[in-house]
Amino acid sequence: EMEGAFGKMSRAVRGLGYDPDSEGFLVQQMAAPGKEAIIGMNTDPVIGPVLLFGLGGKYVEVFQDVSIRVHPITDVDAREMVESIRGYPILQGVRGDPPVALDPA
């Protein structure tokens, strides 16, 4: 299965101009089940660097519920990004699910 996936990914990245034989792939064990987040960064041609946060996995695909801020941000901005998404209650724990650790340890 792994060899088949490697071949398929190799063909795809070759089409993008990369050499998978010299660049390689990183494979690691899948994380334990839990809440997923999406965090991204892009550069808008008008306003510059922007950050994105939202629930990840199936939630981002279904709800398209993300928060976007112009970079740089403070810790207060980061907290507001997390708390501003409609899915924030999921992170707080619902229907017996435990909350996620939002504060740095």
Side-chain angles (χ1 to χ4, degrees):
E1 215 175 292
M2 181 83 105
E3 289 172 354
F6 178 80
K8 186 174 183 180
M9 291 187 303
S10 294
R11 287 187 296 279
V13 298
R14 271 195 185 92
L16 297 172
Y18 296 98
D19 179 11
D21 296 322
S22 65
E23 308 247 357
F25 291 100
L26 175 64
V27 178
Q28 64 187 84
Q29 185 175 357
M30 192 165 185
K35 307 288 187 305
E36 294 180 49
I38 182 170
I39 301 170
M41 186 169 185
N42 202 350
T43 302
D44 181 275
V46 176
I47 59 176
V50 292
L51 299 169
L52 172 140
F53 171 82
L55 292 177
K58 61 187 173 191
Y59 295 110
V60 73
E61 294 172 18
V62 173
F63 299 123
Q64 299 178 5
D65 176 22
V66 296
S67 175
I68 298 173
R69 297 285 189 283
V70 176
H71 178 6
I73 65 169
T74 66
D75 56 342
V76 172
D77 296 324
R79 172 65 72 157
E80 288 175 356
M81 287 181 78
V82 172
E83 293 177 353
S84 72
I85 62 171
R86 293 183 310 274
Y88 178 63
I90 293 172
L91 298 176
Q92 292 178 300
V94 293
R95 291 194 167 195
D97 284 347
V100 300
L102 294 173
D103 293 314

